[in-house]
Amino acid sequence: MSTRVRKYVALLVAIVVYYIVHEGAHLLAALCYGVFRSIRFVGVGMQVVIEESALSETQLGVFCLVGALATFVVAWMLVWAAPRICRMKSKLSRAIFYYISLAMLFVDPVYLSVCYNFFGGGDMNGISMLMPELVARLVFAMLFVLHILVFFKYLLPCYKASFAENP
């Protein structure tokens, strides 16, 4: 498989896995609260639709926060597992895990610190019911900076060495 094809396949898989983790956490919360209505496919993504009026502000805040928490947990599990992943023989598998790690580390911190304003608020609408919006933005911005450091100081060198050793 060519490098280009491997990158596109890995990127596509990473996008799908990101949505499964993030929206899956919302789905589990909706099911736990008993407010699940449907799954809506919008553009290239999807949303868990709930009966919002049946939730308290705190419950809605938790519902909106669990997606970001799930991606955070998976991101750090992948960082922890990176040395083992980088020993895998399959270049495609390593590429897939690399792109999944990128998605889990960066999508939610970037979206929830900067980009949500351009897309109607999304999860920040509920998270702001748990804490002031500025505080939430700052927390996610700090996570973004932390994840940049982890990526450049640890993850990128690990994967670079892996692909250099096992071309």
Side-chain angles (χ1 to χ4, degrees):
M1 177 180 298
S2 75
T3 302
R4 175 179 271 179
V5 171
R6 185 171 53 246
K7 285 180 182 179
Y8 285 124
V9 168
L11 183 60
L12 181 63
V13 171
I15 291 167
V16 170
V17 170
Y18 168 81
Y19 275 112
I20 289 170
V21 170
H22 184 97
E23 296 301 328
H26 288 313
L27 177 61
L28 289 174
L31 291 171
C32 286
Y33 286 138
V35 295
F36 174 74
R37 287 189 34 211
S38 65
I39 295 176
R40 179 184 309 147
F41 292 91
V42 286
V44 295
M46 62 186 196
Q47 295 176 328
V48 173
V49 180
I50 60 170
E51 186 61 48
E52 208 172 303
S53 63
L55 294 175
S56 69
E57 286 186 1
T58 301
Q59 289 172 322
L60 182 58
V62 169
F63 170 81
C64 290
L65 185 60
V66 294
L69 288 175
T71 60
F72 175 83
V73 168
V74 171
W76 282 91
M77 289 171 55
L78 290 169
V79 167
W80 175 78
R84 284 176 287 288
I85 293 167
C86 288
R87 288 193 300 268
M88 297 172 87
K89 291 190 188 304
S90 167
K91 288 191 278 186
L92 178 60
S93 295
R94 284 183 275 147
I96 287 170
F97 279 110
Y98 175 74
Y99 282 103
I100 292 171
S101 298
L102 287 176
M104 298 298 164
L105 283 169
F106 295 117
V107 172
D108 284 331
V110 168
Y111 178 76
L112 291 169
S113 64
V114 178
C115 299
Y116 73 90
N117 279 328
F118 305 108
F119 300 100
D123 288 341
M124 185 56 81
N125 292 332
I127 294 170
S128 64
M129 293 179 178
L130 297 175
M131 65 186 82
E133 186 175 321
L134 180 60
V135 171
R137 288 182 76 167
L138 289 173
V139 167
F140 285 105
M142 289 187 296
L143 275 177
F144 176 60
V145 170
L146 173 65
H147 288 177
I148 286 173
L149 293 172
V150 167
F151 174 73
F152 281 109
K153 295 288 186 181
Y154 180 71
L155 210 58
L156 183 60
C158 184
Y159 276 97
K160 261 188 174 180
S162 168
F163 281 105
E165 291 170 5
N166 304 310

